[in-house]
Amino acid sequence: MDASTLAKSAKALILASGLIAASTVIGAAQDAPMPLGTTATIPLNSWYIAPPSGQTLLGAHTFDLTAGNLILLANGQSVSFTGSYAGAKAAYLLLNSSNTYSYYAGSIVGQVVLTFSDGTTQATDLTIGTNLREWRIGSGATVDSLSTTAGAAQVWTGSAQPGMGGGTAVIDMLSLPVATAGKTLTAVALNDTNTWGALKIQLAGLTVDFTAPTPTPTPTPTPTPTCTMNDHAGKVSATTAKNVPHCIATGKAGEKADVTKATTPAAPRSDD
């Protein structure tokens, strides 16, 4: 194996090791759907006709709607969810309001608070007509619009049950990117801060997007160049491998052994 071939092999190994390290650092982003638990008591299908169910993909994110219920918060009520999500990237909530009459437009009626393992928090106000709106749109008496720049968007549309007034019904998703990368998310709280009227906030699903830690693979050791007997038997072969330190060292050792053998006098014979 000549010096240029060994150099190319070494570069390939270094590049491969670098790619392994990069994939370990980046990891794979994934959703962690959070069940709403026993606080969710309103069947989705009592409000919506054929709503999404089970482990479902909405707005490119996975939600656990297996229980089939939503949480309904009245004035001053709140709900929180705990967990541990290292490298949290964002939280996503399936969020709407009901009885969202036009006089609530522009009002802050709630807040979502993200809590991290270092004790810091990140709060987002819920403002009617900006990032929160009525679930049954088109009645003419409610706030049905959302801002296009506030992180909320419609992810499902269908029909409301006749007993709920019928007409078009929607589910919106509020996206809350984590402001500081690398933090561990430990809690998500939804607070209804409204103090008057019949407005309610409804949560149908919650998921957290985080980067799952990837075990660091054991790097493949760089192979030690090997030399044949001819590689270090004499000066000519050692010169051929002059750019390979291992062969140089081995060649010199071989040359030294040959010189020692040639210059060491033979032991005297017993009959001399």
Side-chain angles (χ1 to χ4, degrees), residues 117-188:
S117 60
D118 60 2
T120 59
T121 59
Q122 178 181 319
T124 301
D125 289 334
L126 300 177
T127 304
I128 298 300
T130 300
N131 56 7
L132 186 66
R133 67 168 175 171
E134 174 72 15
W135 73 280
R136 192 174 66 87
I137 62 175
S139 69
T142 57
V143 179
D144 301 340
S145 61
L146 289 170
S147 169
T148 58
T149 60
Q154 180 177 309
V155 293
W156 184 87
T157 183
S159 299
Q161 291 285 359
M164 297 299 293
T168 302
V170 298
I171 296 176
D172 298 328
M173 183 180 76
L174 177 62
S175 303
L176 301 176
V178 173
T180 304
K183 288 196 172 188
T184 297
L185 180 67
T186 56
V188 179

Side-chain angles (χ1 to χ4, degrees), residues 32-152:
M34 301 178 71
L36 300 185
T38 57
T39 309
T41 58
I42 307 297
L44 280 165
N45 60 14
S46 69
W47 285 31
Y48 298 90
I49 294 176
S53 60
Q55 293 279 336
T56 187
L57 193 67
L58 295 170
H61 294 281
T62 302
F63 293 88
D64 184 2
L65 305 184
T66 304
N69 295 332
L70 60 80
I71 294 173
L72 192 64
L73 299 180
N75 298 346
Q77 293 183 330
S78 63
V79 64
S80 63
F81 306 87
T82 59
S84 182
Y85 305 95
K89 299 169 69 66
Y92 301 93
L93 295 83
L94 299 180
L95 202 62
N96 286 92
S97 55
S98 53
N99 302 321
T100 321
Y101 299 114
S102 57
Y103 47 73
Y104 283 110
S107 299
I108 296 175
V109 298
Q111 190 177 69
V112 179
V113 181
L114 308 182
T115 301
F116 303 94
S117 60
D118 60 2
T120 59
T121 59
Q122 178 181 319
T124 301
D125 289 334
L126 300 177
T127 304
I128 298 300
T130 300
N131 56 7
L132 186 66
R133 67 168 175 171
E134 174 72 15
W135 73 280
R136 192 174 66 87
I137 62 175
S139 69
T142 57
V143 179
D144 301 340
S145 61
L146 289 170
S147 169
T148 58
T149 60

Side-chain angles (χ1 to χ4, degrees), residues 16-28 211-212 214-215 217:
S17 299
L19 291 174
I20 291 172
S23 64
T24 300
V25 172
I26 294 172
T211 301
T214 304

